[in-house]
Structure formats: C-alpha cells, structure tokens
Amino acid sequence: MLLDDAIPNRESDMRQKSGHLVDCNCLGRRNFLKVAGGATAIAMSGSSIFLADRAHADALTKELRDKMTPEQIVQAMKNGNKRFRMGERKERNYLREQKASAKGQYPAAVLLTCIDSRAPAEVIMDLGIGDIFNCRVAGNVKNADILGSMEFACKLAGAKVVLVMGHTACGAIKGAIDNAELGNLTGLLAKIRPAIEATAYTGERSAKNYGFVDAVARKNVEMTVADIRKDSFVLAELEAKGGIKLTGAMYNLETGAVEFFA
C-alpha cells in the first residue's frame, strides 16, 4: 500500500508517544500530498505530495492518484514548492522509486516547462520518479507533438492536471524580443512573438528590461494555456467534464517560488 491514509490516527499516535505535537510535520514521508479535507480523507501534513512513507512502496499508485482531485494535485505541487523554498525537501531513495515504478506509471500531472537548467520542475516541487510527465522545450511553447503527448498523459494514462510553467529571466523570451535567428531556433522563437505583441507594458520594451521580459513570459504562459484548450479537443473536453485542470504558473529564479495562476 502506497499511502496509509486509511488509518491517519496511527501517525498522530506516533507523534504523541514521541513527544511531538499532533500537527508536527517531521515524522514520515508521504508519496502524495495529504491535502486537507475531501472525500478521500487525504489530510494535509506538509510532507511530500509524491514521497513515500519509508514503510511503503515508493511509487505513486493508480489507486492513490485516482482518489485525488485536480485541485488537490495542484495544492500538492504548491506544498512541494514551499518545502523546496524552506530547504525541507525530504530524503528520497531514487533506486526504490525506480524499481517501484518499473512495471507501471501513474503520474498525477503533465507539465510543459522550459529547458532552462535552473528550473527543473521535479526538484523545485519536491517530486520523484513517476510523479509527473514533463515536456521540456525552450520557452515552454506548445506544438502538435506536445499536444499529442498531453492527450496521451491525460486521456490514456490518467493524469489530472495540465500545467504550463514559465520562469523569470527566460532566455527564449529574450531571444524572441531581440528577433534572434539561429537555425531551427528561429521557428521556435516565432511562436513566442504573439505574446510579445499581446503584452501590455508601459516601460522599456526590450530584452534588457527584465520587467518586460518577465511580463512577456507570463503572457506567453497564459496564451499557451488558451491555445492548448483551443487546439486540443481531447483536453478541452476532459476539462469541461471536470476530469482535468488546465492552468499556468511562473517560477522565480531568484526566490525559488512557483506562482500558480489557479
């Protein structure tokens, strides 16, 4: 059993016996965020959303993933980022996660993020092997292949959240603002230019102005989310029925914080 939420009082008893407060978060590692409330009785503990208790298997199971709502999964990622910012990421055993997930995967979300080496989603949200699908491309732009990958992730593999995450000081955004041209990169940056035009900004509209760069990055995320809905009837239908949540986020390279749009 991956997460023993069926008997939540056991952890409370352990804390009381050990002299810890009932709401202390120092005991145990959880595979999936324990979000307060909900019919699934998954309670918020502050432990990892996709981390395992040492006594259980380390990979996210279908049973546990399917119990979570899209909103709970987003909250889980928020809590994971909070732990990251506080330096409280839990020790994990990647070998155990690898072995536990080798025969099957049940990711809770599919992310579209930038290739920037400073913005690895699994690290900054305290995630592990098998927890999410992650599509990475400069400027977190979408194309038909990425849409197909997202449709597989949600319709066939059961992921419940589609998250597009941009970040501050994005090189691809700066390149698009500067009209950079380089081989196949030229076509990629062209996908970002509509966001430049759509960004309302009263200051200097140049790649040297990081305020403008970040404003374009945010607009690029917003437009990408809208385009995913428009260009994928599969995902739009799932969202309309409440099966998935499609949203955006921005990661701040300076603070380590992920700002979720919803």
Side-chain angles (χ1 to χ4, degrees):
M1 184 176 181
L2 182 66
L3 179 58
D4 199 358
D5 288 303
I7 48 174
N9 290 331
R10 183 176 67 180
E11 185 171 319
S12 176
D13 292 342
M14 288 175 62
R15 287 172 175 162
Q16 291 175 338
K17 291 178 181 179
S18 63
H20 290 270
L21 296 175
V22 173
D23 60 354
C24 175
N25 294 329
C26 64
L27 291 177
R29 298 172 66 220
R30 295 300 189 190
N31 299 43
F32 215 91
L33 173 75
K34 295 160 70 176
V35 179
T40 61
I42 298 178
M44 172 102 53
S45 72
S47 296
S48 171
I49 95 177
F50 303 160
L51 288 179
D53 187 296
R54 293 183 186 276
H56 306 302
D58 284 86
L60 185 59
T61 66
K62 183 178 186 299
E63 179 183 12
L64 181 58
R65 191 272 312 277
D66 289 351
K67 285 181 179 179
M68 300 293 284
T69 66
E71 290 73 22
Q72 287 173 326
I73 292 167
V74 170
Q75 184 62 51
M77 291 188 282
K78 291 179 179 179
N79 286 0
N81 177 246
K82 181 178 180 180
R83 289 192 305 278
F84 168 74
R85 299 196 318 271
M86 296 178 68
E88 295 180 353
R89 296 180 66 241
K90 306 299 181 179
E91 179 183 355
R92 65 168 66 247
N93 188 317
Y94 287 108
L95 183 60
R96 282 174 54 181
E97 290 181 358
Q98 171 262 313
K99 290 182 177 180
S101 61
K103 296 186 182 302
Q105 61 169 340
Y106 307 100
V110 54
L111 276 60
L112 171 56
T113 64
C114 184
I115 64 168
D116 194 292
S117 63
R118 302 162 294 177
E122 289 86 350
V123 175
I124 65 178
M125 296 184 198
D126 198 11
L127 306 174
I129 295 173
D131 290 339
I132 62 168
F133 293 104
N134 193 359
C135 309
R136 300 193 68 176
V137 60
N140 39 274
V141 299
K142 62 88 181 170
N143 59 28
D145 297 327
I146 287 174
L147 287 178
S149 298
M150 289 179 168
E151 291 168 354
F152 162 78
C154 295
K155 185 69 174 181
L156 300 181
K160 295 184 178 182
V161 171
V162 176
L163 178 70
V164 180
M165 186 178 77
H167 66 91
T168 60
C170 180
I173 299 295
K174 288 187 281 187
I177 294 172
D178 281 341
N179 293 309
E181 295 185 0
L182 175 65
N184 292 294
L185 180 62
T186 303
L188 185 153
L189 297 181
K191 297 177 183 295
I192 298 174
R193 293 204 176 95
I196 300 173
E197 298 171 3
T199 299
Y201 193 82
T202 57
E204 180 186 357
R205 297 175 67 90
S206 77
K208 295 179 180 180
N209 182 355
Y210 275 43
F212 179 60
V213 171
D214 295 348
V216 174
R218 175 182 287 268
K219 178 60 68 174
N220 183 52
V221 169
E222 294 171 350
M223 293 180 68
T224 300
V225 170
D227 285 346
I228 290 172
R229 288 193 181 100
K230 177 173 64 71
D231 296 337
S232 173
F233 72 88
V234 174
L235 297 177
E237 182 178 51
L238 285 171
E239 184 182 36
K241 293 180 178 180
I244 67 170
K245 182 179 182 67
L246 209 169
T247 188
M250 279 289 292
Y251 175 59
N252 190 308
L253 294 179
E254 295 288 340
T255 66
V258 177
E259 176 195 353
F260 290 79
F261 296 176

